[in-house]
Amino acid sequence: MIENGSHFNPFGQSNTKTEAALTLKDVLDIFNRQRFPIIVCTLFITLLAGIYAFVATPVYKTNTVLKKEVTVPQNNQAIDEFARIVSMQSMNDVIETESELIRSRAVIEKVVQDLDLYFSIDRIEVPDVISYSFDMPLEVYRHELDQYPQSSAPRINVTEFLAPEGFREIDATSYVIRVNDQQQLELYLEEQEELLDSQASIPSATFTLPIARFNVNWPNPNPGSSFFFTIKNHEETYQGLRESISVDTPINTTLLSISVESSHAFLASRLANTLAAAFRETRFEHKRETIRYSAGFVDDQLDDISSKLSNAEEALSAFRGENQLTNVDESMRGTLEFLSQLESEKIGTDLQLAEYNTRLINLRSQLTEKGYFDQTFLTPQQESNSNSTTPFSSLLQQLSNAELERLELLQKRTPNHPDVIAVDDRITEIQTSLTEYNQNTISSYEIIIRSLEQKQSDLQQLIYNYGQRARTMAASEGELMKLTRERDTYQKVYVLLSDKREEMRIAELSNIQDIILVESAVIPLEPILPKKKIYVIIGFIMGLMFGVTVGLVREFNGKMVTKLSQIENDLMLPILAIMPTFPAGIKDRMRKQKSIQEHLELLTDTRHGFKESYRILRTKLSFILSTKRSPNKNNIFFTSCEENTGKSTVVTNFSLLLALAGKRILVIDCDLKNPTIGRFFNIPFNAPGLIDFLSFDYVAS
């Protein structure tokens, strides 16, 4: 008896699959089955990594070493060991401050301007000649011209590049210079082809743009030739250079190692050396400015005192000649000398008070205009203490970064955008912190000024008291004493100012440069990036991992089966036979058949192999049923967990094959939802069925 639709298992085996842990053999089998996607993914990603490693833009790195010259107290000096340790520890702050100054805007912008980094050479086209592609900064292009004088590329040189103050707000723009038939150089905007300027002077021509002025030297240009270049945005160039610079300060040393990265080996060394020179020059100017600030005031006072001293000597000489007086008595001389000392001290106090008042006025003016002032190198006559300089320098750097960020945002957003407003708030906060530092400095200046004013008042009172005592003397001797006192006072002040000015001059000429170049940067021979071997190894590892992942996904989620043993192991059921799929033509013939005889002829046709498949199924099934000791060994159930999987086709064909072998077969269609076997055997649709039999309706009738 053959039934279709039942879920009974005729083999007496459990359908419950026992889960077992994967063994090494199972894993190796999975890798073996999925070896193709694993190999393909591994090779593909490794190939991509290799291609990237060989076509990626190389990055070269070089460094230069500077040394900060400092004066450290020695044991033989009159200072204890504790003070020496404190002095050494304070140098850490000094070195950190210097490292921040190296990456400051003033230094980096000087490098950008010295090397014309915002001018980039794109390509040169000559009629009937191959185009020369450069795509490099102007400094590298100049180096290439000098390095390869035998090159056939046109020898175009750009010099005297000057950019106005507002250049930093201009976007990067591409230009082209063409040579017309009249041997004139014409400057165009590359995209709009708009003529901007024309120069008839060849080989040298000067072009003036709203954003720059530069000179082009193009000897013997061919008509129709074109010179393409780009003037970059100043802020983007500055930011790009700043990001490529790193400063290392070895512990317990006063060394500064400046490293610069670039896509051109020559430019890397050029940038490092120029940066070191710009930093030394900037530091030199800072220190000179500190000295000049005080020296200018001293020079003005020295000229004034010199004039007064000359007038005092002339007046004293004239008075002695008229009154025949050469000296005064001892009591008058003592009074005269003391008054002279008081006058000298008062003039010195006046000068110092005037200097502080002048500085205080300038500081308050800067504070009103900008909201803060730079006090990095502010302390009169000497540098500021490093402990106070470091946080102020850090705030200045934060302010510079915030202002740069604001300029970049304004290129894409409006001033009312939340991002711009947030940056404005941060700038205001930093300026407030700077102002607090400045207010402390101004308060210190005010305290010093009040102290000097009090000293000035006390000296004035002493001078007045001793002046009254001098007036009680004889008129001629008193006048002589007065003139002598004035001469001596101006003479002492003149000597004091002269000594002070000489000290400043010596400091300005001798010990002002405290940054020493220890090692210059050299042109690197090999790039630091990309590291080709490492990239290929990483690509191989990532490709292998990705391939294994794809293989596992295919293994556990895929439906493709490559071995029958795999199905038997997964289902823990034997496979009796594999039924071939009916081709489209066979399906049409089966639908057109009108009798069982015709279907049998199609089934037994050896050209299609249908009969052989069912014979294998019959043989194996007969063997299994013959070995079972179950009372239901003559019952065979065909079932499936899905619809339209061929249950009815297999039942009808298999039952016909058994009938041909002389077996008595009972076929029961248990598919109550969509029975199809009855139609195959030409049973009427309204004929009694399984439901009628089970409900005894058929028996009763």
Side-chain angles (χ1 to χ4, degrees), residues 560-574:
M560 184 179 67
V561 177
T562 58
K563 291 184 179 180
L564 297 180
S565 59
Q566 180 182 351
I567 301 177
E568 293 179 334
N569 293 334
D570 291 343
L571 300 179
M572 300 184 69
L573 294 173

Side-chain angles (χ1 to χ4, degrees), residues 425-492:
D425 293 340
R426 192 161 78 251
I427 291 175
T428 303
E429 181 180 353
I430 296 174
Q431 289 179 344
T432 302
S433 300
L434 291 172
T435 303
E436 292 177 357
Y437 275 95
N438 296 153
Q439 290 294 350
N440 293 335
T441 302
I442 290 178
S443 298
S444 300
Y445 269 65
E446 291 175 345
I447 293 174
I448 295 174
I449 289 174
R450 286 196 294 269
S451 176
L452 291 174
E453 288 177 346
Q454 182 63 40
K455 180 180 179 181
Q456 185 186 49
S457 176
D458 294 341
L459 289 173
Q460 184 67 38
Q461 184 63 38
L462 288 174
I463 292 173
Y464 175 78
N465 293 337
Y466 278 88
Q468 287 295 104
R469 184 182 303 178
R471 292 188 186 92
T472 61
M473 301 177 183
S476 58
E477 292 182 351
E479 184 66 20
L480 177 61
M481 185 183 68
K482 175 184 176 182
L483 295 176
T484 304
R485 175 168 55 86
E486 289 181 355
R487 191 272 315 271
D488 293 344
T489 298
Y490 290 137
Q491 191 173 27
K492 290 179 180 179

Side-chain angles (χ1 to χ4, degrees), residues 272-507:
N273 291 327
T274 305
L275 182 65
F279 169 64
R280 297 180 73 242
E281 182 179 349
T282 302
R283 272 298 273 118
F284 181 79
E285 289 299 326
H286 280 167
K287 299 195 70 175
R288 290 187 64 182
E289 188 65 24
T290 302
I291 295 176
R292 288 173 181 172
Y293 193 87
S294 298
F297 180 81
V298 172
D299 288 339
D300 294 340
Q301 297 299 323
L302 189 62
D303 293 339
D304 182 59
I305 294 299
S306 177
S307 176
K308 291 181 179 180
L309 176 60
S310 178
N311 294 334
E313 289 179 343
E314 291 178 359
L316 178 61
S317 177
F319 182 81
R320 283 176 175 175
E322 292 176 359
N323 297 278
Q324 301 297 318
L325 292 176
T326 58
N327 52 31
V328 295
D329 59 20
E330 292 298 326
S331 61
M332 292 182 61
R333 184 178 299 278
T335 302
L336 176 63
E337 290 180 356
F338 187 69
L339 277 173
S340 176
Q341 292 178 2
L342 290 177
E343 289 286 352
S344 175
E345 184 69 20
K346 180 179 179 298
I347 292 176
T349 303
D350 292 343
L351 294 175
Q352 193 174 7
L353 181 61
E355 181 180 0
Y356 274 95
N357 279 324
T358 302
R359 285 183 174 235
L360 184 60
I361 292 173
N362 292 334
L363 297 182
R364 284 175 173 170
S365 176
Q366 295 181 33
L367 187 61
T368 302
E369 294 176 0
K370 299 173 57 179
Y372 69 94
F373 55 82
D374 187 356
Q375 64 181 56
T376 307
F377 301 97
L378 186 61
T379 305
Q381 305 173 6
Q382 61 182 2
E383 294 182 0
S384 299
N385 183 275
S386 59
N387 293 328
S388 62
T389 302
T390 300
F392 189 85
S393 301
S394 178
L395 285 175
L396 283 180
Q397 187 60 54
Q398 295 177 24
L399 179 62
S400 176
N401 295 338
E403 290 176 343
L404 176 60
E405 182 180 353
R406 184 179 187 276
L407 288 175
E408 293 177 348
L409 287 175
L410 288 177
Q411 295 180 3
K412 305 176 182 178
R413 297 176 175 89
T414 62
N416 296 326
H417 193 276
D419 292 345
V420 179
I421 294 176
V423 174
D424 289 338
D425 293 340
R426 192 161 78 251
I427 291 175
T428 303
E429 181 180 353
I430 296 174
Q431 289 179 344
T432 302
S433 300
L434 291 172
T435 303
E436 292 177 357
Y437 275 95
N438 296 153
Q439 290 294 350
N440 293 335
T441 302
I442 290 178
S443 298
S444 300
Y445 269 65
E446 291 175 345
I447 293 174
I448 295 174
I449 289 174
R450 286 196 294 269
S451 176
L452 291 174
E453 288 177 346
Q454 182 63 40
K455 180 180 179 181
Q456 185 186 49
S457 176
D458 294 341
L459 289 173
Q460 184 67 38
Q461 184 63 38
L462 288 174
I463 292 173
Y464 175 78
N465 293 337
Y466 278 88
Q468 287 295 104
R469 184 182 303 178
R471 292 188 186 92
T472 61
M473 301 177 183
S476 58
E477 292 182 351
E479 184 66 20
L480 177 61
M481 185 183 68
K482 175 184 176 182
L483 295 176
T484 304
R485 175 168 55 86
E486 289 181 355
R487 191 272 315 271
D488 293 344
T489 298
Y490 290 137
Q491 191 173 27
K492 290 179 180 179
V493 173
Y494 181 81
V495 172
L496 177 65
L497 292 176
S498 298
D499 293 342
K500 187 176 182 180
R501 184 64 184 89
E502 184 65 19
E503 291 175 2
M504 293 180 180
R505 188 185 69 82
I506 293 175

Side-chain angles (χ1 to χ4, degrees), residues 21 53 80 167 179 208 269 293 391 437 459 469 503 544 583 652 662 696:
D80 57 16
F167 172 62
V179 182
T208 302
S269 64
Y293 193 87
Y437 275 95
L459 289 173
R469 184 182 303 178
E503 291 175 2
L544 182 61
T652 55
F696 298 97

Side-chain angles (χ1 to χ4, degrees), residues 98-167:
E98 300 293 353
S99 65
E100 288 297 324
L101 290 175
I102 291 174
R103 302 176 74 247
S104 65
R105 176 177 289 271
V107 175
I108 295 180
E109 284 189 345
K110 187 172 182 59
V111 176
V112 172
Q113 295 173 1
D114 290 346
L115 300 182
D116 297 332
L117 296 182
Y118 28 61
F119 198 102
S120 176
I121 307 298
D122 297 333
R123 66 185 187 278
I124 300 175
E125 295 181 355
V126 181
D128 303 328
V129 181
I130 188 172
S131 176
Y132 300 91
S133 179
F134 294 95
D135 191 20
M136 60 182 60
L138 177 60
E139 186 68 17
V140 180
Y141 172 75
R142 292 168 177 167
H143 172 72
E144 293 293 328
L145 291 181
D146 297 337
Q147 191 74 11
Y148 305 102
Q150 71 279 6
S151 173
S152 60
R155 316 293 294 180
I156 304 175
N157 193 14
V158 180
T159 58
E160 301 178 3
F161 187 92
L162 298 176
E165 188 66 25
F167 172 62

